[in-house]
Amino acid sequence: MGMAGVALPAALGSSLVACTPALNWRVVQDPDGFWRALFPQKPVEFSREISLPTGQRLALTLWAVRMDLLQLSVGVAQPTGGQRWRPEDYPALISALRQARVATIGASTSVAATGIQQDRPSEPNFLSGVADAQVPPALGGRRFDRLLATGRIPTDPQGGTAAARLWAEHRPFPQRIVEALAIGPDTAEVRAVAEEFLAGFAAGG
């Protein structure tokens, strides 16, 4: 799927034949307590190293499912080779992850937003003093970065493609970035599943 793409194992495939209420949704919890997510079936866990457009390499652990052409995943990215990220590194890292994800669908348009999660006011804001990542201490919560992009995805080995949509959310933590990602055809059925998946994603314990 391109640079830093989520090329899921073939064994993950299943059919998206039911409407959203009929899917077998379940809550999946990160073993380290950094995130929890609502998946429509049991995800498969696997790890790999990825390269960003900047040339940086990250260790990425994914929990992912694939249903027809829809892919849903939560990933935890961490430094490799004994590197350590400084707080001021995070905006550039998240920007590079966004760029890599958009490239997987050859996106023609994308919309990015940065906000503050306010449902956990006791969370530490380790990025609160960083330029381009300001989180006023009085607000609590944690910075998040969201991305919506449109483009095309391959549909068959003969080169067929279909209009596609990509949703992504990135959350920074000390020495890791948590990413929720949905990529699939731009249809009402897929949008409903992807949006329910993202609505059930939470990071921060």
Side-chain angles (χ1 to χ4, degrees):
M1 290 190 64
M3 190 175 295
V6 182
L8 304 185
L12 290 179
S14 68
S15 180
L16 182 62
V17 295
C19 60
T20 302
L23 296 172
N24 187 18
W25 293 96
R26 82 278 310 279
V27 174
V28 178
Q29 179 79 38
D30 172 27
D32 296 325
F34 281 92
W35 60 267
R36 66 179 183 275
L38 189 65
F39 280 95
Q41 63 185 45
K42 184 178 179 180
V44 171
E45 177 184 351
F46 57 102
S47 299
R48 63 184 57 182
E49 285 195 9
I50 62 172
S51 295
L52 296 179
T54 57
Q56 293 164 293
R57 292 190 64 79
L58 306 178
L60 182 67
T61 300
L62 284 169
W63 290 260
V65 302
R66 183 173 65 194
M67 297 179 295
D68 293 338
L69 296 176
L70 172 62
Q71 298 183 6
L72 306 172
S73 65
V74 174
V76 177
Q78 296 177 275
T80 61
Q83 300 178 14
R84 289 191 64 81
W85 295 338
R86 302 166 300 172
E88 57 266 30
D89 294 334
Y90 284 79
L93 285 165
I94 290 174
S95 177
L97 276 168
R98 283 176 168 177
Q99 183 183 347
R101 295 317 189 195
V102 166
T104 64
I105 61 169
S108 55
T109 61
S110 63
V111 177
T114 297
I116 301 167
Q117 175 183 320
Q118 300 186 53
D119 58 346
R120 294 181 180 83
S122 62
E123 283 188 357
N125 297 305
F126 85 101
L127 289 179
S128 61
V130 179
D132 193 40
Q134 296 295 325
V135 181
L139 287 178
R142 186 181 297 279
R143 178 190 176 187
F144 61 84
D145 291 82
R146 288 180 178 161
L147 175 69
L148 173 63
T150 57
R152 301 193 70 82
I153 56 174
T155 57
D156 58 63
Q158 286 71 46
T161 64
R165 185 171 291 220
L166 177 151
W167 300 257
E169 182 169 321
H170 297 94
R171 303 280 184 115
F173 291 89
Q175 303 309 311
R176 67 189 67 202
I177 296 170
V178 179
E179 173 190 71
L181 180 69
I183 304 174
D186 193 3
T187 66
E189 183 180 41
V190 166
R191 286 197 299 271
V193 175
E195 289 166 4
E196 188 159 352
F197 166 69
L198 290 169
F201 170 69

Short mmCIF file of all heavy atoms in Angstrom, two decimals, residues 16 18 20 23 25 67-72 153 163-167 182-197:
data_model
loop_
_atom_site.label_atom_id
_atom_site.label_comp_id
_atom_site.label_asym_id
_atom_site.label_seq_id
_atom_site.Cartn_x
_atom_site.Cartn_y
_atom_site.Cartn_z
N LEU A 16 -17.66 -7.86 4.38
CA LEU A 16 -18.47 -6.81 4.98
C LEU A 16 -19.85 -6.90 4.36
O LEU A 16 -20.18 -6.19 3.43
CB LEU A 16 -17.84 -5.44 4.71
CG LEU A 16 -18.53 -4.22 5.31
CD1 LEU A 16 -18.54 -4.29 6.81
CD2 LEU A 16 -17.82 -2.94 4.85
N ALA A 18 -22.85 -7.24 6.32
CA ALA A 18 -23.95 -6.88 7.21
C ALA A 18 -23.91 -5.40 7.51
O ALA A 18 -22.89 -4.75 7.40
CB ALA A 18 -23.83 -7.67 8.53
N THR A 20 -24.09 -2.13 10.02
CA THR A 20 -23.29 -1.90 11.22
C THR A 20 -23.84 -2.57 12.48
O THR A 20 -23.09 -3.20 13.21
CB THR A 20 -23.12 -0.39 11.45
OG1 THR A 20 -22.50 0.17 10.29
CG2 THR A 20 -22.26 -0.10 12.66
N LEU A 23 -22.73 -6.29 13.01
CA LEU A 23 -21.35 -6.69 13.13
C LEU A 23 -21.02 -7.07 14.57
O LEU A 23 -21.66 -6.61 15.51
CB LEU A 23 -20.43 -5.56 12.66
CG LEU A 23 -20.57 -5.19 11.18
CD1 LEU A 23 -19.78 -3.95 10.85
CD2 LEU A 23 -20.13 -6.34 10.28
N TRP A 25 -19.16 -6.33 17.15
CA TRP A 25 -18.30 -5.33 17.77
C TRP A 25 -17.83 -5.80 19.14
O TRP A 25 -18.58 -6.39 19.89
CB TRP A 25 -19.04 -4.00 17.91
CG TRP A 25 -19.36 -3.34 16.61
CD1 TRP A 25 -20.53 -3.41 15.91
CD2 TRP A 25 -18.48 -2.51 15.84
NE1 TRP A 25 -20.44 -2.69 14.75
CE2 TRP A 25 -19.20 -2.13 14.68
CE3 TRP A 25 -17.17 -2.07 16.01
CZ2 TRP A 25 -18.63 -1.30 13.70
CZ3 TRP A 25 -16.61 -1.26 15.04
CH2 TRP A 25 -17.34 -0.88 13.89
N MET A 67 -11.98 -6.27 6.14
CA MET A 67 -13.27 -6.80 5.69
C MET A 67 -13.47 -6.31 4.26
O MET A 67 -13.66 -5.12 4.03
CB MET A 67 -14.39 -6.32 6.59
CG MET A 67 -14.27 -6.81 8.03
SD MET A 67 -15.60 -6.20 9.11
CE MET A 67 -15.25 -4.45 9.09
N ASP A 68 -13.41 -7.23 3.29
CA ASP A 68 -13.39 -6.84 1.89
C ASP A 68 -12.26 -5.84 1.69
O ASP A 68 -11.13 -6.12 2.01
CB ASP A 68 -14.75 -6.30 1.45
CG ASP A 68 -15.83 -7.38 1.46
OD1 ASP A 68 -15.47 -8.57 1.40
OD2 ASP A 68 -17.01 -7.03 1.55
N LEU A 69 -12.57 -4.64 1.21
CA LEU A 69 -11.54 -3.64 0.96
C LEU A 69 -11.37 -2.66 2.11
O LEU A 69 -10.56 -1.73 2.02
CB LEU A 69 -11.86 -2.87 -0.33
CG LEU A 69 -11.86 -3.69 -1.61
CD1 LEU A 69 -12.30 -2.83 -2.79
CD2 LEU A 69 -10.48 -4.29 -1.87
N LEU A 70 -12.11 -2.85 3.17
CA LEU A 70 -12.00 -1.96 4.33
C LEU A 70 -10.95 -2.49 5.30
O LEU A 70 -10.97 -3.67 5.69
CB LEU A 70 -13.34 -1.85 5.05
CG LEU A 70 -13.33 -1.10 6.40
CD1 LEU A 70 -12.91 0.35 6.21
CD2 LEU A 70 -14.69 -1.19 7.06
N GLN A 71 -10.01 -1.62 5.69
CA GLN A 71 -8.99 -1.98 6.67
C GLN A 71 -9.10 -1.05 7.87
O GLN A 71 -9.21 0.17 7.72
CB GLN A 71 -7.59 -1.85 6.06
CG GLN A 71 -7.35 -2.77 4.88
CD GLN A 71 -5.95 -2.69 4.34
OE1 GLN A 71 -5.09 -2.01 4.90
NE2 GLN A 71 -5.69 -3.38 3.24
N LEU A 72 -9.12 -1.65 9.06
CA LEU A 72 -9.19 -0.90 10.32
C LEU A 72 -8.01 -1.33 11.18
O LEU A 72 -7.73 -2.52 11.30
CB LEU A 72 -10.50 -1.20 11.07
CG LEU A 72 -11.81 -1.02 10.31
CD1 LEU A 72 -12.97 -1.56 11.14
CD2 LEU A 72 -12.04 0.45 9.97
N ILE A 153 -8.16 3.37 -4.18
CA ILE A 153 -7.48 2.15 -3.76
C ILE A 153 -7.62 1.09 -4.84
O ILE A 153 -8.59 1.08 -5.60
CB ILE A 153 -8.04 1.60 -2.43
CG1 ILE A 153 -9.56 1.37 -2.53
CG2 ILE A 153 -7.70 2.51 -1.28
CD1 ILE A 153 -10.14 0.68 -1.31
N ALA A 163 -12.96 4.72 -5.77
CA ALA A 163 -12.87 5.88 -4.89
C ALA A 163 -12.76 5.41 -3.45
O ALA A 163 -13.44 4.47 -3.03
CB ALA A 163 -14.10 6.77 -5.07
N ALA A 164 -11.87 6.06 -2.71
CA ALA A 164 -11.58 5.61 -1.35
C ALA A 164 -11.54 6.80 -0.40
O ALA A 164 -11.36 7.95 -0.80
CB ALA A 164 -10.24 4.87 -1.29
N ARG A 165 -11.69 6.46 0.87
CA ARG A 165 -11.60 7.46 1.93
C ARG A 165 -10.68 6.91 3.02
O ARG A 165 -10.65 5.71 3.28
CB ARG A 165 -12.99 7.74 2.50
CG ARG A 165 -13.02 8.86 3.54
CD ARG A 165 -14.44 9.25 3.89
NE ARG A 165 -15.10 9.91 2.77
CZ ARG A 165 -15.91 10.96 2.90
NH1 ARG A 165 -16.16 11.46 4.10
NH2 ARG A 165 -16.47 11.50 1.85
N LEU A 166 -9.91 7.81 3.63
CA LEU A 166 -9.01 7.45 4.71
C LEU A 166 -9.31 8.33 5.92
O LEU A 166 -9.45 9.54 5.79
CB LEU A 166 -7.56 7.63 4.27
CG LEU A 166 -6.44 7.36 5.28
CD1 LEU A 166 -5.18 6.90 4.55
CD2 LEU A 166 -6.11 8.61 6.12
N TRP A 167 -9.44 7.69 7.07
CA TRP A 167 -9.60 8.39 8.33
C TRP A 167 -8.41 8.02 9.22
O TRP A 167 -8.03 6.85 9.29
CB TRP A 167 -10.85 7.94 9.07
CG TRP A 167 -12.16 8.13 8.39
CD1 TRP A 167 -13.10 9.10 8.65
CD2 TRP A 167 -12.76 7.28 7.39
NE1 TRP A 167 -14.22 8.91 7.88
CE2 TRP A 167 -14.03 7.82 7.08
CE3 TRP A 167 -12.31 6.14 6.70
CZ2 TRP A 167 -14.88 7.23 6.14
CZ3 TRP A 167 -13.16 5.57 5.77
CH2 TRP A 167 -14.42 6.11 5.50
N ALA A 182 -8.45 4.00 9.41
CA ALA A 182 -9.46 3.29 8.61
C ALA A 182 -9.27 3.69 7.16
O ALA A 182 -9.15 4.88 6.85
CB ALA A 182 -10.86 3.64 9.08
N ILE A 183 -9.20 2.70 6.27
CA ILE A 183 -9.06 2.93 4.83
C ILE A 183 -10.05 2.02 4.12
O ILE A 183 -10.07 0.81 4.37
CB ILE A 183 -7.64 2.63 4.32
CG1 ILE A 183 -6.59 3.43 5.09
CG2 ILE A 183 -7.53 2.91 2.82
CD1 ILE A 183 -5.16 3.07 4.71
N GLY A 184 -10.86 2.58 3.21
CA GLY A 184 -11.79 1.74 2.49
C GLY A 184 -12.51 2.49 1.40
O GLY A 184 -12.35 3.71 1.24
N PRO A 185 -13.33 1.77 0.61
CA PRO A 185 -14.10 2.41 -0.45
C PRO A 185 -14.99 3.52 0.11
O PRO A 185 -15.48 3.43 1.24
CB PRO A 185 -14.94 1.26 -1.02
CG PRO A 185 -14.18 0.02 -0.66
CD PRO A 185 -13.54 0.32 0.67
N ASP A 186 -15.20 4.54 -0.68
CA ASP A 186 -16.00 5.68 -0.23
C ASP A 186 -17.48 5.39 -0.47
O ASP A 186 -18.10 5.93 -1.39
CB ASP A 186 -15.55 6.95 -0.96
CG ASP A 186 -16.10 8.21 -0.31
OD1 ASP A 186 -16.78 8.10 0.73
OD2 ASP A 186 -15.86 9.30 -0.85
N THR A 187 -18.02 4.50 0.39
CA THR A 187 -19.44 4.16 0.31
C THR A 187 -20.09 4.42 1.66
O THR A 187 -19.41 4.50 2.69
CB THR A 187 -19.63 2.67 -0.05
OG1 THR A 187 -19.14 1.86 1.05
CG2 THR A 187 -18.89 2.30 -1.33
N ALA A 188 -21.40 4.53 1.67
CA ALA A 188 -22.12 4.80 2.91
C ALA A 188 -21.91 3.68 3.93
O ALA A 188 -21.75 3.94 5.13
CB ALA A 188 -23.61 5.00 2.62
N GLU A 189 -21.89 2.43 3.47
CA GLU A 189 -21.72 1.29 4.37
C GLU A 189 -20.34 1.32 5.04
O GLU A 189 -20.22 1.15 6.26
CB GLU A 189 -21.92 -0.01 3.61
CG GLU A 189 -21.83 -1.25 4.48
CD GLU A 189 -22.02 -2.53 3.67
OE1 GLU A 189 -21.49 -2.62 2.55
OE2 GLU A 189 -22.71 -3.43 4.17
N VAL A 190 -19.31 1.56 4.23
CA VAL A 190 -17.96 1.61 4.78
C VAL A 190 -17.81 2.81 5.70
O VAL A 190 -17.20 2.71 6.78
CB VAL A 190 -16.93 1.66 3.63
CG1 VAL A 190 -15.56 2.08 4.15
CG2 VAL A 190 -16.84 0.30 2.95
N ARG A 191 -18.36 3.96 5.33
CA ARG A 191 -18.25 5.14 6.20
C ARG A 191 -18.87 4.88 7.55
O ARG A 191 -18.34 5.28 8.59
CB ARG A 191 -18.92 6.35 5.53
CG ARG A 191 -18.12 6.93 4.38
CD ARG A 191 -18.58 8.33 4.03
NE ARG A 191 -19.98 8.37 3.61
CZ ARG A 191 -20.39 8.21 2.36
NH1 ARG A 191 -19.51 7.98 1.39
NH2 ARG A 191 -21.66 8.27 2.06
N ALA A 192 -20.01 4.18 7.58
CA ALA A 192 -20.67 3.90 8.86
C ALA A 192 -19.79 3.04 9.77
O ALA A 192 -19.67 3.30 10.97
CB ALA A 192 -22.02 3.21 8.61
N VAL A 193 -19.17 2.01 9.19
CA VAL A 193 -18.31 1.13 9.99
C VAL A 193 -17.06 1.89 10.45
O VAL A 193 -16.67 1.80 11.62
CB VAL A 193 -17.92 -0.12 9.19
CG1 VAL A 193 -16.92 -0.97 9.96
CG2 VAL A 193 -19.16 -0.95 8.86
N ALA A 194 -16.43 2.63 9.53
CA ALA A 194 -15.21 3.36 9.89
C ALA A 194 -15.49 4.40 10.97
O ALA A 194 -14.69 4.55 11.91
CB ALA A 194 -14.63 4.03 8.64
N GLU A 195 -16.59 5.11 10.86
CA GLU A 195 -16.89 6.15 11.84
C GLU A 195 -17.22 5.56 13.20
O GLU A 195 -16.88 6.12 14.24
CB GLU A 195 -18.01 7.04 11.31
CG GLU A 195 -17.52 7.93 10.15
CD GLU A 195 -18.63 8.59 9.37
OE1 GLU A 195 -19.81 8.42 9.78
OE2 GLU A 195 -18.34 9.26 8.36
N GLU A 196 -17.88 4.39 13.22
CA GLU A 196 -18.15 3.74 14.50
C GLU A 196 -16.84 3.26 15.15
O GLU A 196 -16.65 3.36 16.36
CB GLU A 196 -19.12 2.59 14.32
CG GLU A 196 -19.58 1.99 15.64
CD GLU A 196 -20.88 1.22 15.52
OE1 GLU A 196 -21.52 1.24 14.45
OE2 GLU A 196 -21.26 0.58 16.52
N PHE A 197 -15.95 2.73 14.30
CA PHE A 197 -14.64 2.30 14.81
C PHE A 197 -13.89 3.48 15.43
O PHE A 197 -13.37 3.37 16.55
CB PHE A 197 -13.84 1.71 13.65
CG PHE A 197 -12.38 1.52 13.92
CD1 PHE A 197 -11.92 0.56 14.82
CD2 PHE A 197 -11.43 2.31 13.27
CE1 PHE A 197 -10.56 0.38 15.06
CE2 PHE A 197 -10.08 2.15 13.51
CZ PHE A 197 -9.64 1.19 14.42
#
